[in-house]
Amino acid sequence: MNIAVCLKQVPDTSEVRINPKTNTLMREGIPSIINPYDVHALEEALTIRDRLGGRVTVLTMGPPQATDSLRKAISYGADHAILLTDRAFAGSDTLATSYILAGALGRLMDREPLDLIFCGKQAIDGDTAQVGPGIASRLGWPLLTYVTKIDGIDPTNQVFQVQRKIEVGREVVRCRLPALVTVVKEINEIRYAPLPDLIRAAHYPVEVWTNADLGLDASQLGLKGSPTWVNKISTPPMREKGEVLAGSDVAPAETARILADKLIPHIVVPNR
Amino acid sequence: MTVQEPTQQQLNQERWRDVPLEFEAIVVGAGPAGLAAAYTLAKGGVKTLLIERGDFPGSKNVMGGILYSYPTHQIIPDFWKEAPLERPIVEQRAWLLAEESVVSIGFKDPGFYEEPYNNFSVFRSRFDRWMANKVVEAGATLITETVVTDFLFDERADRRRVAGVVTNREQGEIRAQVVLICEGANSILTQRLGLQEDLSPGDLAVGVKEVIALPKGAIEDRFNVEKGQGATIELIGESTQGMFGMGWIYTNKDTLSIGVGVMINQLSRSGMNPNTVLEKMKQHPAVRPLLAGGETKEYLAKIIPEGGYHQVPKLYAHGVLICGDAAMLVNGVHREGSNLAMTSGKLAAETVIEAKKKGDFSSVTLKAYHDRLQDSFILKDLKKYENASALLQSNPHFFTLYPKLARYSARELFTVDNVPKKDKQKKIWHEVTSRRGIWNIAGDMYRLWRTLG
Amino acid sequence: MTAKKKKSPKAPPSAFTEKTVPPITDNPERSDTKAHEQIPLESIEAPKNLPAHGIWVYIEQLQGEVAPVSWELMGVGRQLADKLNCPLSGVLLGHDIQPLTELAFQYGADTLYAIDDPMLKPYTNECHSIALVQLCQAHHPEILLIGATTTGRDLSGSVATALRTGLTADCTQLDVDVDNRKLLQTRPAFGGNILATILCRDRWPQMATVRPRVFSKPEKQPERSGAVVWSDLGLDPSKTVMEVVERILDERTEGYLDEADIIVAGGRGLGSKDNFKLVEKLAQAIGGMIGASRPAVESGWAPYSHQVGQTGLTVRPKLYIAAGISGAIQHLVGMQNSDVIVAINKDPDAPIFRVATYGIVGDAATLLPAITQELGARMHGAPLGTERQL
Amino acid sequence: MQTLEDKLFLVRFQPDDHSHIHINNKELCQHDCPDKPCTYICPAKVYEWNEEVKAINVGYEGCLECGTCRYGCPRDNIHWVNPRGGFGVMYKFG
């Protein structure tokens, strides 16, 4: 089983806080990390490789600093890492990004066949969940999103079975290989990598591909190839100062009534 | 599954085929000592592995915030041309705080704003990350997120030699000819080797610090420096609520580093939280205006080895050397630590380079590290102040009474009230000697001079 | 390496089972075809220069039940259509969907585009994306709105890429610029700390997904009706590569805490494991899930999988009720982005009140039963504007 | 005055799912340590006396990893090790 994993290096948005005193966005020193969902995608790929053999190749599109994330992926145990970097790629939206990644995966497949491509379900900075489906669509591969478990893989007959999360529960889907899978965090627990993989990562020569290597249509890259653009940025309304409700545990029923008046507009039946 | 599964071990073996699991030197900890050591080793052609427990080098590192230029320049020449620095310091002040007042002395020299500079305010997290890149460029191998938990030993008939380290990861043993312990003030490994006896709370201070953001212009106005220049203030007396310790305020580019360190044993007795001590210092009338309108960005804590010369552990054994805070190399009187750490790392590395030439990493060869430290300013300075800590700790009036007397004296002298200056001097002298006997004061001064002079 | 640290509680072991995967049942010839040769999306030309017209809303249905978000979108779609002076249409894909068609008109559609085909019976990305792409190519909608459910997000990414158009996910506000007929798509970004308004240029349809309950559901108008435009799927069943084997419906309480809309969480201030049950009762009464602070989990009152905070999950529900939780920083970072926070605590200085929308100073153990009764009675006594779908 | 809570809110932590701090002997805290200095000397107030269970609660997630408790515990009753590599406090400034 040869598996590719698409990673994104993202700012750790969980570290973005609103300073409670000044109500300002705290952005200092926010580190770049591998998109957390992508780490689970990598873990799943590594698990399959460890069971069935083959190679795991990680790819990312980004500035040269994104090498850090690829090296980190190597330290988890990935076999090979490729950085897609080119000024022409900068400013790509999800449509252009999926074009570039699909192009790179196509080039990788010239070198070695791929059975599976793994992505995280979405990136925590954009939360779009579009690049995985976009790559599948571009490659013409079947797409399985929100996968919570891989039930089994039959490499001989090129079939595998997964469980995927849907709004009302989960569904079991059987699908032909090759396929593209996006995963949720519940799918696995991330390994604590053995030391030799960390040492290997320290000096690992990440392969770098530019558009000269990929030969993609320039009009479909970067800002030019991106139909969506951000027209305006605003800050969401600040949380209003809390309101202390009258009443207390001396008169629980009365307090409950006051609270219910406030809450009923917010309580809705789960949307399927 | 219908396919033949290669075992995971086979796959790993394949992947790890070219991974080196043996080094000539292992440096534990990417702080100032470890980075200086690893850099010097790598430059000296020693195959070096640097192991850091944080996410990146610097992520666990804390200091007051001053980096001395000369010792850093000794390791990485002209570092100021590319390192992430805050402000070159042109003025250093000392403040003696009493309840509401301050007696201030200072030294300002614009010459410090020129190469090679004297010192800089820095953030360890950023500086160390930069320096770690230099270490890697120099050829060392850096791994992060890995804790060294123990040592490997070679047991021979006559001796026990450190032969590598054990980490908390699978397959986590790595061998080396020599291990440099640069683990910092929490000297767990040093104690594990039995080189450091258990320290007492009287040997260590706890320092807490805040980084407070202010506009650049406000910093320059409030500290009376030119654009881009920096100033430091060390605060004693009321700043530590009468405890043995010191406060500090350093100017960064667009933040201030403000902190206070007090001895752990005194803090224990006081019943106070270190943050409370810091908050009280921040509220002092002399300090408060400097911080007004600022926004706190980070809160940090670290212990500072204050044991001085007497608490310096055995610095070497077969296959192992101790550097920096782990070796108690802090000059409490002059608030120096990182420069001692870096220089000790460098000297340790130089010792290892020589040992490699000799092919002997036994304590006989490694003792040269101790001798180098002895010949350097590091142990000379620590020796000079060997009794300072004990003196100051056993004489709390240095932190309580004398600041008050200084305030009283200064207030008398500076108050214009038509009292003849001669009378004022008499009055001051009378007040001072009534609060602490003349012979006691003389004794204090003599001991202080003997200890610090 | 943050990802590994924020790991999900009680995740199943990584390894998949050893069982051999049975072949995809109804399709014996499949074994010598390559999957990526099967799906014709790539061959589809984007309708770049054709005049696009009309607003479409994708009507998501599962086993004959329509996702409420579809009707919510019909409501906002109506407003946008009126502004742009264009028709509002629904798109309905599935099998035996005839009974649903009139609902689309009753909720505001002028036209309904529909494909009824056995291959569309269970949702699969494969067939539904082809179906939707075909309809878009045939009728050129100007704007296509899809609910940001798991299905909607699965579908929209494939369709937008196939049509080579822009897609904005998880919008929380929608408007149109009447002059240049642009859809103004506003969505949270950067962990919800900023709002970005996104436009799509020179490509159609302008596609957006919208989170459920951002817009309210319009009133049903039983008298409304309209024309259904039926199309054929025209796919060869033997060429599909995906098959839904089984669908397992969850009880709501066993869902994903980090995606729950309502969380009732308890802390050590409840005093005992028995009192923690009051939290469970309230959660049950209002259709929420149970959360817990670390001390409550450590005391064994709730399993670790329900722990909210730095060492547990980060949650962002519409409503978070914190009962007997003081609000240590470890807990606050895990729930501070909830839309509405109710804090019940004896200590008026508890930090939880700093992030609370509504604070009640009092004993949670005393107050919870009253709140459960009051909210339970009101919710089940009167409809809340949304039918229960399960 | 800025509270300690406010300040700790600014610090970046990546807590492990198990504590790196352990109290060796709870009895000692209860019976032989009237002052319980750990509850105030810790710069992050990680230690808190819980009167109900008569034991120290350790909020290890907020540990700044200074080590004050290691040396400040008068009964030498705190077993403190470095958190697992990659976990614990991560300073932005340092």
Side-chain angles (χ1 to χ4, degrees), chain C residues 127-384:
Chain C
C127 295
H128 280 245
S129 56
I130 290 170
L132 187 51
V133 167
Q134 283 177 356
L135 286 177
C136 287
Q137 286 180 314
H139 304 284
H140 311 298
E142 193 170 8
I143 290 170
L144 172 56
L145 305 178
I146 299 179
T149 58
T150 47
T151 299
R153 296 174 119 227
D154 182 79
L155 178 68
S156 58
S158 301
V159 169
T161 311
L163 295 171
R164 303 287 187 268
T165 188
L167 165 63
T168 305
D170 290 352
C171 294
T172 53
Q173 292 166 41
L174 289 178
D175 202 353
V176 283
D177 181 335
V178 178
D179 295 335
N180 57 19
R181 301 186 75 83
K182 288 290 176 224
L183 181 64
L184 306 171
Q185 309 159 94
T186 302
R187 69 181 302 258
F190 217 58
N193 290 301
I194 58 169
L195 290 174
T197 302
I198 293 168
L199 273 61
C200 173
R201 61 185 155 199
D202 306 334
R203 310 278 176 101
W204 293 273
Q206 305 172 63
M207 283 180 66
T209 63
V210 179
R211 294 292 272 186
R213 283 179 306 283
V214 166
F215 297 106
S216 52
K217 193 159 93 165
E219 287 290 314
K220 207 163 162 180
Q221 298 166 271
E223 73 291 351
R224 273 189 109 256
S225 68
V228 183
V229 180
W230 292 100
S231 305
D232 290 329
L233 181 61
L235 269 186
D236 176 355
S238 73
K239 295 212 165 177
T240 57
V241 294
M242 218 183 255
E243 175 187 60
V244 176
V245 179
E246 191 184 1
R247 193 166 269 144
I248 301 146
L249 304 189
D250 277 349
E251 282 298 312
R252 210 47 215 189
T253 46
E254 280 305 309
Y256 296 87
L257 190 62
D258 52 347
E259 289 178 14
D261 289 314
I262 299 176
I263 295 174
V264 186
R268 212 172 48 210
L270 286 163
S272 71
K273 188 167 186 166
D274 275 350
N275 284 345
F276 196 86
K277 295 213 174 77
L278 302 172
V279 166
E280 295 165 26
K281 283 193 183 131
L282 175 56
Q284 209 170 17
I286 61 177
M289 288 184 61
I290 298 155
S293 68
R294 189 171 68 87
V297 170
E298 281 183 353
S299 307
W301 301 348
Y304 175 66
S305 56
H306 292 266
Q307 185 174 319
V308 172
Q310 227 164 15
T311 29
L313 288 165
T314 300
V315 298
R316 205 179 168 168
K318 300 247 166 210
L319 172 62
Y320 190 94
I321 300 179
I325 293 177
S326 65
I329 191 68
Q330 296 94 305
H331 190 74
L332 293 187
V333 298
M335 46 64 78
Q336 55 170 344
N337 285 328
S338 307
D339 291 354
V340 173
I341 296 170
V342 177
I344 308 167
N345 204 296
K346 276 181 261 191
D347 174 10
D349 296 324
I352 190 79
F353 288 117
R354 224 171 42 202
V355 299
T357 323
Y358 305 113
I360 303 173
V361 179
D363 180 14
T366 312
L367 283 158
L368 281 177
I371 294 169
T372 305
Q373 199 188 1
E374 181 75 26
L375 285 176
R378 290 214 211 174
M379 286 183 69
H380 300 297
L384 295 161

Side-chain angles (χ1 to χ4, degrees), chain C residues 59-78:
Chain C
I59 300 170
E60 180 186 333
Q61 61 89 22
L62 180 83
Q63 294 167 6
E65 295 273 8
V66 173
V69 66
S70 307
W71 304 140
E72 292 160 18
L73 290 182
M74 207 60 97
V76 67
R78 182 80 261 163

Side-chain angles (χ1 to χ4, degrees), chain B residues 35-70:
Chain B
L35 289 166
Y39 185 81
T40 311
L41 287 168
K43 283 275 175 191
V46 178
K47 194 178 164 199
T48 303
L49 175 68
L50 172 60
I51 305 177
E52 163 60 34
R53 68 188 181 93
D55 266 51
F56 58 87
S59 67
K60 302 277 187 186
N61 302 354
V62 179
M63 73 169 184
I66 295 299
L67 178 87
Y68 294 89
S69 189
Y70 180 79

Side-chain angles (χ1 to χ4, degrees), chain A residues 230-265:
Chain A
V230 176
N231 188 46
K232 197 177 85 184
I233 296 279
S234 54
T235 47
M238 284 301 162
R239 181 185 289 284
E240 283 170 30
K241 196 161 159 38
E243 179 183 346
V244 177
L245 299 183
S248 69
D249 48 359
V250 183
E254 171 65 7
T255 310
R257 197 187 54 71
I258 296 166
L259 180 65
D261 288 343
K262 303 280 185 190
L263 291 191
I264 282 296

